[in-house]
Amino acid sequence: MARLVPVAGGGYAYAYQALGSLGGFTTGWFLALGSIFACGLYAIGFAEYFATMLGLKLSPLGVKGLAGALVLFSAWLNARGTAGADRIQNLLTWGNLAILAALLIGASFFAQPELLTPQFPQGPEGTLGAIGIIYISFFGYQLIANNADEIKQPEVTIPKAMIYAMGIAFLFYLLVALGSILTVPWQTLAASSAPLVDVATVVFGGWGWVVISIGGVLASAGALNSTLLSQGRQIYAMGKDRFMPDLIGKVHEKSKTPRAALLTGGLFILAFLLLFQLEFIAKAANFCL
């Protein structure tokens, strides 16, 4: 689709081209709300990991306050221009991969092949049920197409970026899952509220929770930053097509970014953080997407 319609807006732009105004309007709003709810989810994840890493016990309001501060910073950073946000995104992404790689290398020294049997000890239902929970983790790769207007040769670059990004992440997903069940019995992982911490504790000892907390901070901040950037471009595309106020469909002269769209998305995220609880935000993101 990115080869056929190499313009900003991604899935919204494709629906608008193929289905017309009603299909584009409906798809655009669901995608926009889904991305905004997802940003709220990532922001809360960041706040929880950050507080854990520093040994802080924050109240629910404190968690939302910290999450809101990250949203404001990310919106401000992306509204200023792509250069600064791009460098920070690279740092977050590569830092997270480095921590996962260290965890995998360490886990290989503690691997117990006998833990792999029996396979599907309680049938395949658990695997199928998990798809509904992790769906949002795979949906994000299509957001790359939202930024088509700022990508060189988008009809070639975007499909390659999607394939490489999903392929690398999928490989890490599989290796982390395999490394986890080879290191810690699946019964223990299933009963744990933080299974990767259990794996990291085996690998790194008492510092395991710190390692995973740092990884969680980098992963959630990176997911928020990239999703906020992409949903801003989609809202901008909807503004150009008069599905939102005209101001949202304009590019800021100095920064060359859709500043109004980015800041509008940031304000929506803040409002949802204040109005809704984590469980509802997570379910709403999955439903909309």
Side-chain angles (χ1 to χ4, degrees):
M1 294 300 293
R3 287 192 175 99
L4 296 173
V5 190
V7 297
Y12 155 72
Y14 310 151
Y16 186 48
Q17 292 276 342
L19 304 175
S21 295
L22 181 60
F25 179 84
T26 307
T27 302
W29 270 101
F30 271 119
L31 289 175
L33 288 171
S35 295
I36 288 169
F37 275 116
C39 284
L41 182 66
Y42 303 144
I44 291 174
F46 168 86
E48 294 278 13
Y49 277 118
F50 191 76
T52 300
M53 184 176 68
L54 297 181
L56 302 175
K57 290 187 178 180
L58 297 180
S59 65
L61 186 61
V63 169
K64 289 191 173 187
L66 185 55
L70 178 67
V71 170
L72 288 174
F73 175 73
S74 184
W76 170 79
L77 186 69
N78 284 290
R80 289 178 65 239
T82 56
D86 181 46
R87 285 192 293 269
I88 288 181
Q89 187 64 37
N90 284 333
L91 177 65
L92 294 171
T93 301
W94 287 108
N96 188 41
L97 284 179
I99 286 176
L100 290 176
L103 180 66
L104 289 170
I105 292 170
S108 67
F109 292 100
F110 297 90
Q112 304 174 61
E114 63 272 13
L115 293 178
L116 286 179
T117 54
Q119 295 181 24
F120 298 103
Q122 295 184 335
E125 292 83 2
T127 301
L128 296 173
I131 293 172
I133 300 172
I134 67 170
Y135 175 72
I136 192 174
S137 299
F138 286 91
F139 184 85
Y141 299 102
Q142 67 89 28
L143 294 177
I144 295 170
N146 287 354
N147 307 296
D149 284 357
E150 298 163 82
I151 295 175
K152 295 178 182 178
Q153 296 182 291
E155 64 276 4
V156 176
T157 306
I158 289 175
K160 282 185 178 180
M162 286 181 172
I163 291 167
Y164 292 154
M166 182 172 283
I168 293 168
F170 188 57
L171 177 64
F172 269 83
Y173 280 148
L174 287 176
L175 290 175
V176 168
L178 185 62
S180 297
I181 59 175
L182 277 169
T183 307
V184 179
W186 68 266
Q187 296 92 334
T188 304
L189 295 173
S192 174
S193 60
L196 269 190
V197 173
D198 294 340
V199 177
T201 300
V202 172
V203 175
F204 301 112
W207 290 97
W209 66 272
V210 177
V211 174
I212 294 303
S213 294
I214 294 172
V217 165
L218 295 174
S220 50
L224 170 66
N225 191 63
S226 59
T227 305
L228 193 147
L229 169 74
S230 296
Q231 63 88 18
R233 268 58 179 178
Q234 187 211 313
I235 293 175
Y236 156 75
M238 293 176 69
K240 283 203 307 180
D241 294 332
R242 303 295 179 86
F243 287 146
M244 289 192 178
D246 287 348
L247 176 64
I248 292 176
K250 297 184 183 298
V251 173
H252 191 267
E253 286 188 21
K254 186 176 180 181
S255 66
K256 305 301 181 185
T257 63
R259 181 174 288 184
L262 282 164
L263 295 178
T264 299
L267 291 175
F268 267 105
I269 298 167
L270 285 176
F272 290 172
L273 281 174
L274 292 174
L275 292 173
F276 305 118
Q277 299 303 312
L278 175 61
E279 184 178 1
F280 177 83
I281 291 173
K283 289 180 178 179
N286 273 311
F287 172 78
C288 290
L289 297 178

